[in-house]
Amino acid sequence: MNKIQPSQLAEEQRNATKLFMQLQRELQTLLALRRRPSEDDVKEATERVLALDKAYPLPLLGKMIEKFPKTFEPAVWWPEKENDHHQFQRNNKPHHHTMKQNRNGWSEELEMEMREIVKVLKSKDTEDYARLGSLGLKINKTLAISGPLLTGIAAVGSAFVGINSSWAAPVAAAAGALAATVNTLEHGGQVGMVVEMYRNCAGFFTLLEESIESTLNESDVEKRENGEMFEMKVALQLGRSVSELRDLAKRSSLSELDEFASKLF
């Protein structure tokens, strides 16, 4: 039971089902808008399916997600673009040569706003969930090791009961009680599910960061998603209105920020 972590496994499959259904709806929308998808559309869809399958494999022994990794890492269910983050850091300034006028809904102010949002996400939301996830993982590992260990001690102690050993009965009783308590905390407290929840929340914010970075890395604004729509989409994903998002970016640029980017979780 400790190896499988039923509560964490259930949370994994719940998220996998949600993400596969979301991908299915997106592909159905694409087919409705384009009767003949391009080769790039097919390639992108295939990469997304493979990335999802890799992130959430079937819950089979030997193939399931490692429940006790050495370090806590956010979930990644999308095709990774290795160069986006480094390019974003090198080009961490608005494209003045293309942004003199408002084109495709983009302006210098909007670019700077999006860069501030990325900074807040990295320093506040993602960092906080990574910290909580690391703490939860350590607690889960401790409980997973302690339960069987205490059960073993109780079994050994009970074997010596009645063999002129005054310590066997108290040790067996105490170890058995502690083992029951530890197992109740681990499985009744759904610690594995909490760790998986943190992993997916951190992954959500990482995906949002990469989405903003890859959009800003596109120097030709005409090839980007419409700026006003993109700003609204980011605001909705963070549970904010557009005006609240702009205020958040403004306070971040003035180093007066004392809250997280997301209001949803």
Side-chain angles (χ1 to χ4, degrees), residues 104-153:
N104 194 25
W106 287 93
S107 63
E108 291 182 14
E109 291 77 13
L110 181 55
E111 276 207 0
M112 293 306 301
E113 176 189 330
M114 290 296 110
R115 294 180 192 280
E116 289 297 329
I117 296 301
V118 170
K119 186 168 72 173
V120 175
L121 287 170
K122 289 181 184 294
S123 62
K124 291 284 189 179
D125 302 74
T126 305
E127 182 179 330
D128 190 59
Y129 275 106
R131 178 182 60 82
L132 292 172
S134 297
L135 178 61
L137 182 60
K138 290 176 182 177
I139 293 173
N140 202 26
K141 282 182 180 179
T142 302
L143 293 175
I145 294 172
S146 301
L149 180 62
L150 290 168
T151 302
I153 293 173

Side-chain angles (χ1 to χ4, degrees), residues 191-216:
V191 180
M193 182 194 71
V194 174
V195 173
E196 182 63 22
M197 181 188 71
Y198 288 150
R199 198 174 77 92
N200 281 282
C201 289
F204 171 82
F205 292 122
T206 302
L207 175 58
L208 184 56
E209 291 167 16
E210 291 190 10
S211 173
I212 297 173
E213 289 175 354
S214 62
T215 299
L216 296 180

Side-chain angles (χ1 to χ4, degrees), residues 28 84 190 243:
Q28 288 174 338
D84 274 351
Q190 307 284 291
S243 60

Side-chain angles (χ1 to χ4, degrees), residues 14-16 23 32 35 55 61 88-89 103 108 112 114 120 138 146 151 153 158 173 185-186 211 231 246:
R14 187 182 73 85
N15 281 296
L23 178 57
R35 294 185 179 181
L61 289 176
F88 179 78
Q89 289 182 320
R103 296 175 54 193
E108 291 182 14
M112 293 306 301
M114 290 296 110
V120 175
K138 290 176 182 177
S146 301
T151 302
I153 293 173
S158 63
L185 286 173
E186 181 183 9
S211 173
E231 182 184 30
R246 292 171 180 170

Side-chain angles (χ1 to χ4, degrees), residues 42-166:
V42 175
K43 183 179 178 181
E44 181 184 355
T46 303
E47 289 177 349
R48 291 181 65 183
V49 171
L50 293 175
L52 253 177
D53 186 60
K54 181 180 179 181
Y56 298 100
L58 289 174
L60 303 174
L61 289 176
K63 293 184 177 295
M64 67 174 62
I65 297 174
E66 174 58 50
K67 299 300 186 292
F68 303 104
K70 293 182 180 179
T71 57
F72 177 84
E73 296 290 342
V76 178
W77 59 83
W78 60 93
E80 293 187 84
K81 299 178 181 178
E82 298 180 356
N83 297 326
D84 274 351
H85 178 63
H86 300 294
Q87 186 179 348
F88 179 78
Q89 289 182 320
R90 290 196 303 268
N91 301 332
N92 199 18
K93 293 181 180 179
H95 302 285
H96 294 284
H97 62 286
T98 58
M99 305 300 294
K100 291 180 180 179
Q101 297 179 344
N102 189 312
R103 296 175 54 193
N104 194 25
W106 287 93
S107 63
E108 291 182 14
E109 291 77 13
L110 181 55
E111 276 207 0
M112 293 306 301
E113 176 189 330
M114 290 296 110
R115 294 180 192 280
E116 289 297 329
I117 296 301
V118 170
K119 186 168 72 173
V120 175
L121 287 170
K122 289 181 184 294
S123 62
K124 291 284 189 179
D125 302 74
T126 305
E127 182 179 330
D128 190 59
Y129 275 106
R131 178 182 60 82
L132 292 172
S134 297
L135 178 61
L137 182 60
K138 290 176 182 177
I139 293 173
N140 202 26
K141 282 182 180 179
T142 302
L143 293 175
I145 294 172
S146 301
L149 180 62
L150 290 168
T151 302
I153 293 173
V156 172
S158 63
F160 287 93
V161 174
I163 311 179
N164 297 323
S165 179
S166 60

